[in-house]
Amino acid sequence: MEKLNKLTEKELKSLQENVSKLNQVHMELGKLENQKHKILHQMNEIEKEFDDMQKELEKTYGKVSINIDNGELSEIPQKDE
C-alpha cells in the first residue's frame, strides 16, 4: 500500500464539514447552558420573593391556608399529637 501524505479533496471537504458541524453543536450547547443558568438564577430569585411574601402573610394572618384563586383564608386543621 502506497503511503500518501495528503487527504483527497473529497476526504478533506468531508472532514471540514464534520468539524464545522461539531463546532456548531458545541456552540449551540454553550448557548443552551447559558440560558439554563439564567433561568435557574431567575427561579431562585422568584422562590426567594415567594418565601419572603409567605413570611409577611404569615405575620399578618398567622398560619392559614390561602385559596390562590380568590384569596380566601381558612384555618389549617391541627392534627392531634
Side-chain angles (χ1 to χ4, degrees):
M1 181 171 165
E2 182 181 331
K3 185 176 178 182
L4 301 176
N5 61 1
K6 189 174 181 181
L7 295 178
T8 66
E9 285 296 318
K10 184 178 178 182
E11 291 169 330
L12 179 59
K13 184 174 179 168
S14 180
L15 179 62
Q16 289 170 337
E17 287 173 356
N18 281 305
V19 168
S20 179
K21 287 177 189 177
L22 189 57
N23 286 340
Q24 183 67 31
V25 169
H26 281 135
M27 196 167 69
E28 290 298 317
L29 184 58
K31 287 179 185 178
L32 288 172
E33 282 296 327
N34 188 40
Q35 272 186 304
K36 177 183 169 186
H37 175 76
K38 287 178 181 179
I39 291 169
L40 288 172
H41 182 73
Q42 184 180 20
M43 187 173 78
N44 285 337
E45 288 178 1
I46 293 168
E47 286 175 343
K48 184 184 178 324
E49 288 175 20
F50 180 81
D51 289 343
D52 292 345
M53 184 177 193
Q54 197 171 23
K55 288 175 187 170
E56 286 300 315
L57 290 171
E58 193 171 300
K59 281 183 191 176
T60 304
Y61 300 104
K63 289 193 179 217
V64 294
S65 177
I66 302 170
N67 182 320
I68 196 72
D69 293 322
N70 61 23
E72 289 181 3
L73 305 174
S74 57
E75 290 187 25
I76 299 173
Q78 298 296 319
K79 293 183 179 180
D80 294 332
E81 294 182 31

